[in-house]
Amino acid sequence: MKQFISVDDVPSVPRLVDIALDYKKQPFKDRKLGENKTLGMIFLNPSLRTRLSTQVAAKNLGMEVVVFNIDKEGWQLEMNDGAIMNGNTSEHVKEAAAVMGQYFDIMAIRTFPGLKDKEADYKEKYINQFIKYAGVPVVSLESATLHPLQSLTDVITIKEQWQQPRRPKVVMTWAPHVKPLPQAVPNSFAQWINGWGEADFVITHPEGYELDPKFSGNARIEYNQEKALEGADFVYVKNWSSYKDYGKITCTDSNWMVTNDKLKGTNQAKVMHCLPVRRNVVIADEVLDGPQSIVIPEAANRVWAAQAVLSEILKGNM
């Protein structure tokens, strides 16, 4: 792998999943691989699991890690080529990314969308400008439209938890939230489950919350949550704002919250969420604290997803 921005950068999803699960068994088997190599982690937005798990993964491979919260500690960056910089921006990404590329062997970037301009967000200007000017491999720690490390983790978790010969039924359900959230996680989850190709996949949400078809792909779309959940083996819960009426909340129906009652029609489905989660808004306490929740093992697998990605990039650029 030369970079890690989406599932399209991965030659084989099943192989990458197996590499991650092998690292879970032997975390330090390649601790010389990243010796004398440095990972620069650049944050334009907050992070907990993504930041910590990627740091641990890099350390397991012997890498040095530098974390830079550029939104709080750096100059305000200009992202537009040809800009006349007589406003608030002090440094252009051309120089900033190029300089950081001199310091780091791999750069990892986290950005969020503005949720105001769909065209601008879906062009992925921020992360693409870093890719264009850094001159080193770039790993997405989440972008405006995708969160590939989270979705790789989700596939790893489903494979690890699923011990039957038949294909699992995986349902991604929309749930309510108090503020508009990006489509990055659901876009990415759909892209990776489709790319993995080893599950029967259903997406359920209120009308008006359809994702960009290039991400939802051939998943079955069901507007009736109860019907969608019938026989589910895994239920992935996530809120997202409208893609059609971009960035807006068009439904506030609390009946979409996942409760034990909602899970009665499933095949004792394991419940997943990327975290952080708003309890008793998105998922009820009874579910999160119950035996069907696997949100903590899922979060723990973030380390092995990141380690698999970093190791493959290191091997491809040695």
Side-chain angles (χ1 to χ4, degrees):
M1 290 195 306
K2 301 300 182 184
Q3 63 178 18
F4 186 76
I5 308 302
S6 80
V7 75
D8 296 331
D9 295 309
V10 179
S12 169
V13 174
R15 178 178 175 273
L16 192 60
V17 169
D18 287 341
I19 291 169
L21 288 171
D22 192 48
Y23 276 127
K24 187 169 186 176
K25 297 174 184 175
Q26 305 176 78
F28 307 113
K29 68 170 187 171
D30 286 331
R31 58 184 169 185
K32 295 290 187 182
L33 182 62
E35 194 172 48
N36 300 321
K37 302 289 185 181
T38 303
L39 171 67
M41 298 178 63
I42 313 302
F43 290 89
L44 283 81
N45 300 92
S47 176
L48 190 154
R49 278 149 295 276
T50 301
R51 173 173 172 168
L52 297 178
S53 61
T54 306
Q55 283 184 268
V56 172
K59 291 286 189 180
N60 287 349
L61 294 169
M63 299 188 77
E64 293 295 325
V65 181
V66 175
V67 177
F68 184 34
N69 297 301
I70 199 168
D71 59 322
K72 300 178 182 66
E73 302 164 347
W75 302 112
Q76 188 169 348
L77 294 183
E78 175 59 58
M79 291 291 177
N80 294 309
D81 291 337
I84 298 173
M85 292 175 56
N86 58 0
N88 293 329
T89 55
S90 303
E91 183 163 15
H92 201 284
V93 69
K94 282 187 179 182
E95 288 79 49
V99 167
M100 286 187 278
Q102 298 295 305
Y103 302 152
F104 308 131
D105 298 285
I106 300 174
M107 286 179 60
I109 316 291
R110 182 177 176 97
T111 70
F112 279 179
L115 290 180
K116 303 293 184 184
D117 184 333
K118 178 165 67 177
E119 184 178 359
D121 286 344
Y122 274 68
K123 282 183 178 178
E124 292 281 16
K125 178 187 291 184
Y126 277 56
I127 199 164
N128 282 330
Q129 289 289 68
F130 276 96
I131 292 169
K132 183 176 180 181
Y133 295 117
V136 295
V138 172
V139 173
S140 171
L141 301 176
E142 188 171 3
S143 67
T145 67
L146 293 171
H147 196 347
L149 278 177
Q150 177 63 56
S151 301
L152 171 57
T153 299
D154 299 330
V155 175
I156 291 165
T157 304
I158 292 170
K159 177 166 183 179
E160 180 183 47
Q161 295 275 337
W162 188 245
Q163 302 297 327
Q164 299 187 38
R166 67 175 178 85
R167 291 162 62 92
K169 179 180 178 180
V170 176
V171 178
M172 179 168 68
T173 179
W174 181 92
H177 202 279
V178 298
K179 64 179 184 179
L181 296 183
Q183 297 100 36
V185 170
N187 280 348
S188 199
F189 184 77
Q191 186 185 57
W192 279 76
I193 294 295
N194 287 328
W196 183 39
E198 296 184 15
D200 297 328
F201 186 37
V202 180
I203 304 174
T204 183
H205 53 71
E207 292 191 50
Y209 277 90
E210 294 80 7
L211 298 170
D212 185 337
K214 73 180 180 183
F215 297 123
S216 56
N218 58 2
R220 179 165 69 87
I221 309 300
E222 176 56 65
Y223 300 118
N224 183 315
Q225 188 189 40
E226 184 177 336
K227 183 177 179 182
L229 292 175
E230 289 177 0
D233 299 297
F234 293 89
V235 176
Y236 195 87
V237 189
K238 188 70 181 80
N239 173 269
W240 60 90
S241 59
S242 174
Y243 171 75
K244 181 179 179 182
D245 193 4
Y246 191 64
K248 300 295 191 297
I249 295 176
T250 61
C251 177
T252 57
D253 186 356
S254 62
N255 288 324
W256 279 82
M257 180 177 70
V258 173
T259 63
N260 278 342
D261 191 56
K262 292 286 183 69
L263 298 175
K264 287 180 179 177
T266 70
N267 184 31
Q268 297 184 315
K270 302 294 186 182
V271 176
M272 304 173 68
H273 190 282
C274 62
L275 301 181
V277 60
R278 290 189 181 239
R279 285 173 171 260
N280 304 310
V281 175
V282 177
I283 306 177
D285 277 345
E286 61 186 12
V287 176
L288 284 167
D289 298 329
Q292 289 171 252
S293 172
I294 56 171
V295 298
I296 302 303
E298 175 187 3
N301 282 337
R302 292 294 304 273
V303 172
W304 320 119
Q307 193 162 338
V309 168
L310 292 174
S311 70
E312 288 300 283
I313 290 177
L314 285 169
K315 291 171 185 174
N317 290 274
M318 290 179 67

